[in-house]
Amino acid sequence: MHKKLIVIGGGPAGLAAAVSAVENGLSPEDICILERDSEPGGILNQCIHAGFGLHRFGEELTGPEYAGRYIEMAKAAGLTITVNAMVLSLTDDKKVTYVSPETGYVTCSADAVILAMGCRERTRGALNIPGSRPAGIFTAGTAQRYVNMEGYMPGKRVVILGSGDIGLIMARRMTLEGAKVLCVCELMPYSGGLARNIVQCLEDFDIPLYLSHTVTAIGGKDRVESVTVAQVDENRRPIPGTEVTYDCDTLLLSVGLIPENELTRGAGVAIDRMTNGAFVNQNRETEIDGIYACGNVLHVHDLVDFVSEEAAIAGRAAAEKILGKTAPAVHSVSVRTGFGVRYTIPERIDIPAEPAEEVRLFFRVTDIYKKVRLTITDGNGNVLVKKAKSAVAPGEMESLSLSVESLKALADAKCETITVALEEM
Amino acid sequence: MIYDVLIIGAGVTGVMTARYLSGKTCSVAVCEAGCDVAMGATRANSAIVHAGYDAKPGTLKARLNVRGNKLMKEIAKELGVECKAVGSHVVGFGEEDAKHLKELYERGIANGVPDLRIIGQDELRAMEPNISAEATMSLWAPSAAITCPYGLTIAAAECAATNGVDFYLNFKVTDSSHAGGIYYITNGQQTIAARYVVNCAGVHSAEVAEILGEHDFPIYIQPRRGEYIVMDKTCGKMANSTLFVVPSSKGKGILVSPTVDGNLLIGPNAYAIDDADDTQTTQPGLSEITEGALRLMPCVDTRNAITSFSGVRPTPNIYDFYIKNSEQLPGVVHAVGVESPGFASGPATAEYIAELLTDAGLQFTDKDNFIPTRRADGNPKLFRDMTDEEKNAAIRENPSYGKIICRCETVTEGDILNALNSPIPAVTLDMQKSRNRSGMGRCQGGFCSPRVVAIIAEHENYGLENVTKRGGGSWLVVPKNTKGGDKE
């Protein structure tokens, strides 16, 4: 079997990428979307709270509504989505092997592949929280599935470790469903979640948030019976004597998301240690020709609206490549991180002879900073772009754009690197 | 029904004994306090089939270990369970260790360990490129193997059940009586009657001996906990074989070992504890084993840890295993204090227990229809272990094999249903996990556990609230309060 384009994942990234590929001239029959669940929409299907789509659609939608918009757009574009299809392997020459009850075990080759597998939650093990191993320890997303999809409660008295957005959302959800959320504790001195979620999910429900705190012990043999929380010092080590033990039956973990790149690694695609996603250029093309990545499999986003935007870039680029419309690059610039910047997307800019549009660089900062200037500097120290911000935080994505003129100048000067950094004002 | 033999405890010793006797003309039952077989020391250990150089020559440990090592590989093959003779190194650091390695070598030779050799730094480096630069030599034992200790024990239990052994899970022995040559063993609700009783109750074996009616039982069990860290599969190839340090009085020390599933295992430490069922891990303990592992292999990076666990070993107050006919209770055999190398010894211990039962008067001959596999029709394959052709055939025959439930470990709905339909039905989350690795991968069940719970509940025809992690009070979810507002 052969398809021009295979999109792995039918969540918000995969759907937006496929829709964009059709909008950019690819015929829907030439596109195969493989979704492992029985419904398209990905994790949005269990995110029944509102707050999605403010940027993309200018209105506040729930997760299933946002997914529904894209499912409708995919249908209108003539796309078909193969559900219950789990991709088991991808090769560097773009052979995709998947399995489903309907098709069996199938290998399909493609001219281009878009990776849109999303991410998974970090678990207790990755943190090495000591203690016994009773039932009642769930990642926030697993708890969300039990509550919102299966109609069950994972417990009644809850401590939440980590102030990621899903943890904050679940603090509110569990409270609304009748549970008592005793506290949310966060290892870092700041929350990893969106400011609006701190207000709407914790403050509005009088749920305390303890910054610079972690879980030091979990009690209970069969089921969680207690969770001990302690304050941490500047090296994130628990401070003896600060322990508080909560009598509870559930510990929810919201301690970060990890792009799910096992297929990507299997294909030999180079992975950026900082994003845990592929190295990509501004088209979201990985270092393997014709393999693209977008959405949370590339780097963890805070808003789905930005996932859709990024996926549209990948979808368009894949379509142009398949249709032979891609202008070849004449010069490549690698994007470095400077002071205060954890990672950038893309990591590389491939500049064609006649750049037609600006390139927007997305990045995350390493810490909370007040009054800073965000800058892009070329290899000779010339500031190409600068933007002042009153505050930046690791939980919120920042961006800067490089103009067509700057791109031309970089290519003309054969500049090898540019650096994205913060300057304290 | 009166069984010929009741085995108390479904760890490796009890299960291997059950499988051995299931090939003989006698009726056998196994009772187990846990919700599954292999719930104690058999579940949580270093997953090594030791070669047998460690025990002092002439001891039961030495004899059963060396024979068990050979038999375990044969049984694993019959049951279709992986048991890989990757070999082991006891790694020496300098002159002081050289003396100890020589001693171990001589013990091993006396015990009959095959192909044992002391090798120098260059050869060690060539075999283990990631070994510490300070390692100077090693005792190389190519017969040492790695396997999945609970996987192998579960497979042996299914085989025993297929051959007619009855398993009573969630059956914690609380009392016993003896009348007319028959033992009546009860958990307070149900009673099992048997002519012969084998006590293989692991960390609780001394307590069980007393429940059976032993007075002044000479053996005392000191539960000793060991902690481990499991590293991601990306680290699985860092070690080619099991790497030990020179053993001390506390045990075999902290090791680094590949696992048959492709992970890297580091641990254990060893601490005496009061509560034999307390399998918690501790921050100092995990730091200790990390340091121990770094000494052997400086490139170990605990950022790649996927989980930690601990196991409790039944350390007796004597050097050797205590496997004997009771002096006070006719027809009772005790297998007490079976700590390391109890797993490797298992199949040989089973033979030995059968001999002791014969000495006590039990008569049996070989059955001519013994089935050496897990099921009458062979050993079921997991989807991920099938060839491409087998995968397609399995999906055609049963579309549930085309539905992946656990993404990280490629476990299908078919695999989960197969474990539910086994001779020992896997009705808890952990039972499923130990049969097909669902929930054991890098996401640790984040995606699949709600789905596995739902499949179990549907198959057993009850609500999700009845599915537990591992029996007892390990409930997972409660129904939503339909009235709402259950706030304090």
Side-chain angles (χ1 to χ4, degrees):
Chain A
M1 226 168 86
H2 183 84
K3 285 276 179 184
K4 284 189 175 158
L5 174 62
I6 295 177
V7 179
I8 305 178
L15 292 173
V19 166
S20 161
V22 174
E23 284 168 359
N24 286 282
L26 208 56
S27 161
E29 293 87 63
D30 292 330
I31 303 174
C32 171
I33 306 173
L34 299 172
E35 166 53 42
R36 58 191 158 198
D37 218 328
S38 54
E39 301 278 343
I43 208 69
L44 285 175
N45 288 334
Q46 69 180 50
C47 301
I48 63 170
H49 53 281
F52 301 92
L54 284 166
H55 296 259
R56 176 66 185 81
F57 296 110
E59 53 186 309
E60 198 171 23
L61 305 173
T62 65
E65 283 171 338
Y66 189 99
R69 294 276 174 108
Y70 269 96
I71 293 167
E72 286 308 315
M73 284 156 72
K75 271 191 196 150
L79 289 158
T80 50
I81 303 161
T82 309
V83 294
N84 288 320
M86 174 80 192
V87 176
L88 299 177
S89 73
L90 166 69
T91 62
D92 56 359
D93 57 349
K94 298 183 274 293
K95 286 196 179 68
V96 174
T97 302
Y98 65 94
V99 62
S100 90
E102 289 76 30
T103 60
Y105 187 78
V106 184
T107 299
C108 181
S109 60
D111 297 337
V113 173
I114 297 178
L115 306 173
M117 294 88 76
C119 60
R120 62 168 181 267
E121 297 176 277
R122 284 184 80 200
T123 65
R124 171 190 179 176
L127 303 167
N128 256 331
I129 303 173
S132 54
R133 282 163 302 286
I137 305 168
F138 302 90
T139 58
T142 305
Q144 189 177 43
R145 185 180 164 100
Y146 275 123
V147 177
N148 293 350
M149 306 288 276
E150 309 287 347
Y152 283 84
M153 288 291 280
K156 289 288 186 186
R157 288 178 66 84
V158 186
V159 168
I160 299 179
L161 172 62
S163 60
D165 287 312
I166 317 169
L168 301 176
I169 295 286
M170 282 312 292
R172 175 175 64 185
R173 186 86 200 121
M174 297 283 287
T175 305
L176 291 171
E177 293 286 356
K180 174 77 183 166
V181 177
L182 298 158
C183 68
V184 174
C185 56
E186 167 60 55
L187 180 67
M188 304 303 285
Y190 51 83
S191 164
L194 295 170
R196 72 173 196 213
N197 282 336
I198 306 266
V199 175
Q200 294 171 11
C201 301
L202 300 187
E203 290 172 12
D204 286 0
F205 294 88
D206 294 330
I207 298 168
L209 169 64
Y210 300 126
L211 298 174
S212 297
H213 277 69
T214 193
V215 169
T216 55
I218 300 166
K221 263 183 208 165
D222 285 345
R223 175 78 195 195
V224 171
E225 288 168 12
S226 68
V227 167
T228 302
V229 169
Q231 203 180 329
V232 297
D233 62 21
E234 57 275 17
N235 299 317
R236 298 181 218 163
R237 297 218 174 243
I239 303 170
T242 62
E243 296 88 355
V244 176
T245 298
Y246 293 89
D247 179 11
C248 61
D249 58 25
T250 305
L251 173 64
L252 294 192
L253 302 173
S254 178
V255 290
L257 299 167
I258 306 172
E260 200 153 59
N261 272 304
E262 281 60 48
L263 291 173
T264 321
R265 285 196 182 85
V269 172
I271 302 284
D272 181 343
R273 273 188 54 221
M274 297 315 293
T275 58
N276 282 312
F279 280 103
V280 290
N281 69 7
Q282 74 274 28
N283 295 326
R284 306 304 186 264
E285 187 173 19
T286 68
E287 294 192 353
I288 294 183
D289 196 49
I291 298 183
Y292 299 79
C294 57
N296 281 351
V297 79
L298 181 59
H299 63 122
V300 176
H301 294 65
D302 29 80
L303 293 174
V304 69
D305 308 61
F306 298 146
V307 167
S308 304
E309 188 183 324
E310 180 174 87
I313 295 171
R316 185 183 83 169
E320 285 176 350
K321 173 141 254 164
I322 292 164
L323 299 170
K325 290 190 208 159
T326 309
V330 294
H331 182 67
S332 283
V333 177
S334 73
V335 184
R336 300 265 170 88
T337 55
F339 174 76
V341 175
R342 192 151 67 84
Y343 72 75
T344 69
I345 290 287
E347 291 93 341
R348 188 179 85 243
I349 302 172
D350 291 331
I351 306 173
E354 288 300 325
E357 56 190 26
E358 62 172 32
V359 169
R360 197 163 161 210
L361 291 166
F362 293 86
F363 57 96
R364 277 193 196 279
V365 298
T366 54
D367 206 338
I368 287 189
Y369 295 99
K370 306 262 185 229
K371 289 197 182 153
V372 286
R373 201 176 280 121
L374 313 178
T375 63
I376 302 177
T377 336
D378 71 11
N380 299 321
N382 303 316
V383 177
L384 305 175
V385 185
K386 62 183 173 189
K387 180 162 96 183
K389 291 274 284 187
S390 57
V392 290
E396 316 221 5
M397 185 79 69
E398 298 297 336
S399 73
L400 288 172
S401 292
L402 272 176
S403 66
V404 170
E405 292 69 38
S406 297
L407 293 171
K408 273 187 186 155
L410 286 169
D412 290 345
K414 299 261 176 273
C415 183
E416 301 276 324
T417 63
I418 55 170
T419 302
V420 180
L422 299 188
E423 278 172 21
E424 285 178 294
M425 283 157 49
Chain B
M1 145 140 213
I2 299 166
Y3 292 99
D4 289 323
V5 183
L6 170 66
I7 297 165
I8 301 174
V12 69
T13 309
V15 165
M16 285 297 169
T17 305
R19 180 175 184 266
Y20 183 84
L21 292 176
S22 76
K24 312 293 174 192
T25 53
C26 53
S27 60
V28 181
V30 179
C31 66
E32 162 59 44
C35 79
D36 193 4
V37 305
M39 287 297 274
T42 303
R43 175 149 311 229
N45 55 59
S46 308
I48 310 289
V49 184
H50 291 287
Y53 49 74
D54 201 56
K56 289 180 189 149
T59 59
L60 201 51
K61 265 187 185 175
R63 178 158 68 88
L64 298 179
N65 185 171
V66 175
R67 176 149 175 80
N69 174 289
K70 179 173 166 284
L71 292 177
M72 193 68 97
K73 292 168 191 164
E74 294 167 16
I75 290 175
K77 209 170 180 186
E78 287 177 335
L79 295 170
V81 176
E82 201 173 354
C83 181
K84 255 164 97 179
V86 294
S88 70
H89 293 278
V90 182
V91 179
F93 295 83
E95 277 315 297
E96 183 63 18
D97 285 353
K99 206 174 76 207
H100 289 288
L101 291 187
K102 187 85 176 34
E103 260 170 50
L104 281 180
Y105 171 78
E106 278 159 11
R107 267 194 220 175
I109 296 299
N111 292 347
V113 178
D115 309 319
L116 211 52
R117 250 171 359 105
I118 290 183
I119 63 173
Q121 191 173 37
D122 293 346
E123 196 175 352
L124 174 59
R125 281 276 186 78
M127 292 167 88
E128 295 292 345
N130 294 317
I131 196 90
S132 160
E134 281 156 39
T136 52
M137 61 196 305
S138 85
L139 173 64
W140 167 238
S143 65
I146 53 172
T147 188
C148 172
Y150 53 84
L152 186 47
T153 306
I154 289 165
E158 288 188 1
C159 169
T162 297
N163 286 289
V165 173
D166 290 334
F167 279 83
Y168 295 82
L169 301 176
N170 302 301
F171 191 107
K172 185 178 179 178
V173 175
T174 53
D175 206 357
S176 131
S177 59
H178 185 210
I182 295 172
Y183 288 90
Y184 298 91
I185 309 292
T186 181
N187 67 348
Q189 281 134 17
Q190 203 182 356
T191 300
I192 308 171
R195 291 181 188 88
Y196 296 84
V197 174
V198 184
N199 168 19
C200 312
V203 287
H204 296 292
S205 53
E207 291 156 53
V208 166
E210 295 198 1
I211 292 174
L212 289 172
E214 293 284 353
H215 300 293
D216 305 320
F217 192 62
I219 305 300
Y220 165 77
I221 301 288
Q222 173 61 62
R224 212 158 52 152
R225 185 167 64 208
E227 296 164 82
Y228 294 88
I229 298 174
V230 184
M231 316 282 282
D232 191 85
K233 288 186 180 175
T234 50
C235 313
K237 293 199 168 65
M238 281 166 57
N240 296 315
S241 49
T242 304
L243 306 173
F244 295 99
V245 289
V246 171
S248 71
S249 58
K250 278 173 78 188
K252 295 188 183 73
I254 291 161
L255 60 82
V256 173
S257 182
T259 71
V260 281
D261 296 308
N263 300 83
L264 191 77
L265 183 67
I266 66 174
N269 49 11
Y271 287 101
I273 53 166
D274 296 331
D275 178 355
D277 299 316
D278 182 359
T279 55
Q280 66 168 312
T281 52
T282 64
Q283 193 59 63
L286 298 178
S287 304
E288 180 187 1
I289 59 175
T290 304
E291 276 163 34
L294 286 170
R295 190 169 165 237
L296 279 165
M297 200 168 267
C299 57
V300 166
D301 183 352
T302 46
R303 276 181 303 184
N304 294 316
I306 55 172
T307 191
S308 63
F309 66 88
S310 75
V312 179
R313 289 156 278 184
T315 307
N317 52 342
I318 54 170
Y319 174 79
D320 210 355
F321 297 157
Y322 182 91
I323 306 175
K324 281 184 181 163
N325 282 306
S326 167
E327 286 166 17
Q328 297 169 10
L329 307 166
V332 170
V333 175
H334 293 295
V336 175
V338 184
E339 58 167 349
S340 180
F343 180 74
S345 305
T349 308
E351 286 179 346
Y352 185 56
I353 287 171
E355 271 175 46
L356 294 176
L357 286 168
T358 312
D359 293 346
L362 176 68
Q363 293 183 344
F364 54 75
T365 56
D366 287 347
K367 267 189 209 166
D368 50 14
N369 58 349
F370 174 68
I371 299 158
T373 49
R374 298 171 77 144
R375 315 275 173 94
D377 59 356
N379 293 315
K381 253 191 185 176
L382 290 170
F383 180 79
R384 68 167 167 271
D385 297 332
M386 294 176 186
T387 63
D388 293 0
E389 292 73 37
E390 287 172 331
K391 282 176 179 158
N392 262 319
I395 298 167
R396 264 198 306 277
E397 199 183 311
N398 179 355
S400 67
Y401 274 100
K403 200 165 171 195
I404 305 283
I405 301 297
C406 167
R407 305 165 178 183
C408 305
E409 296 291 326
T410 317
V411 181
T412 68
E413 188 176 32
D415 294 318
I416 289 162
L417 291 171
N418 185 41
L420 279 163
N421 293 321
S422 107
I424 300 174
V427 292
T428 71
L429 209 49
D430 281 2
M431 285 178 95
Q432 283 290 341
K433 181 173 169 178
S434 53
R435 280 152 182 79
N436 50 39
R437 292 186 60 81
S438 54
M440 244 182 194
R442 39 182 80 84
C443 92
Q444 291 285 296
F447 288 113
C448 70
S449 58
R451 290 166 172 85
V452 176
V453 167
I455 295 169
I456 294 171
E458 195 190 340
H459 185 269
E460 298 297 305
N461 203 19
Y462 49 49
L464 271 60
E465 68 274 22
N466 295 301
V467 182
T468 63
K469 181 169 158 61
R470 50 165 177 266
S474 64
W475 58 277
L476 290 161
V477 293
V478 289
K480 275 192 196 175
N481 183 352
T482 46
K483 288 181 195 137
D486 189 28
K487 255 193 269 182
E488 286 160 85

